[in-house]
Amino acid sequence: MNINLKSIEAFKNISQENLKALKEDIDLVKYSLGQPICNSSIIPNRILVIIEGEARLLEKINNYTSTLAKIGKGYFIGLASFLNARNCELVSASSEIIAISISDDLILKLYKNEPSFKSWCDKTIQVSEISKIATD
């Protein structure tokens, strides 16, 4: 599958050097309907970006799980947990998902060295972050 990384808003203005690093680092991953993607009890070491399909961002309160939001193409899974250094995402596939997987080491490198990526991260609030703040 040929993926145009520049079509993903967070990577739109990254340098050619870091674009090359991304292309070398990413893995394509697939999830089936209902399959867990991210567990709220851990901070993932690979960050996912949905390329195709939809997932449900879930919230668990008093052993009851409900859908906070449906997320789709271009949404980052695991990034909020990683950047906040605290787990805050519970996600499962609501259709077949195709995503790219990026190492946390490369995400950290991009955050430190790529002003446009850092700016996007700092200005983009993930739904899971809002929920975590509201329930803390």
Side-chain angles (χ1 to χ4, degrees):
M1 176 177 237
N2 188 14
I3 299 163
N4 178 3
L5 294 172
K6 290 271 191 171
S7 70
I8 299 168
E9 188 66 31
F11 303 140
K12 193 175 187 177
N13 296 311
I14 66 169
S15 67
Q16 284 302 114
E17 176 187 339
N18 283 321
L19 184 63
K20 183 180 180 215
L22 264 172
K23 287 179 180 179
E24 291 170 357
D25 182 79
I26 64 173
D27 292 318
L28 198 61
V29 293
K30 293 182 181 182
Y31 294 90
S32 302
L33 173 66
Q35 186 175 0
I37 297 173
C38 189
N39 187 323
S40 61
S41 64
I42 60 165
I43 298 173
N45 64 351
R46 304 246 347 143
I47 309 306
L48 303 176
V49 182
I50 298 174
I51 301 302
E52 289 181 12
E54 287 188 326
R56 292 185 188 277
L57 181 60
L58 305 168
E59 178 178 51
K60 196 174 227 178
I61 299 175
N62 300 328
N63 289 333
Y64 179 75
T65 304
S66 62
T67 300
L68 281 175
K70 272 192 148 183
I71 54 178
K73 186 176 181 176
Y75 195 90
F76 281 71
I77 299 172
L79 184 63
S81 295
F82 178 71
L83 292 177
N84 288 294
R86 66 181 191 159
N87 50 326
C88 63
E89 296 166 278
L90 178 60
V91 182
S92 71
S94 60
S95 70
E96 183 176 287
I97 296 279
I98 297 174
I100 56 172
S101 169
I102 308 164
S103 70
D104 57 359
D105 288 337
L106 182 55
I107 290 291
L108 184 58
K109 177 185 172 193
L110 292 174
Y111 189 79
K112 287 181 174 179
N113 302 319
E114 210 39 81
S116 65
F117 180 72
K118 183 180 186 320
S119 176
W120 182 88
C121 290
D122 291 348
K123 291 179 181 176
T124 305
I125 298 173
Q126 305 288 327
V127 176
S128 56
E129 291 176 288
I130 296 168
S131 173
K132 190 71 171 174
I133 291 167
T135 57
D136 279 353

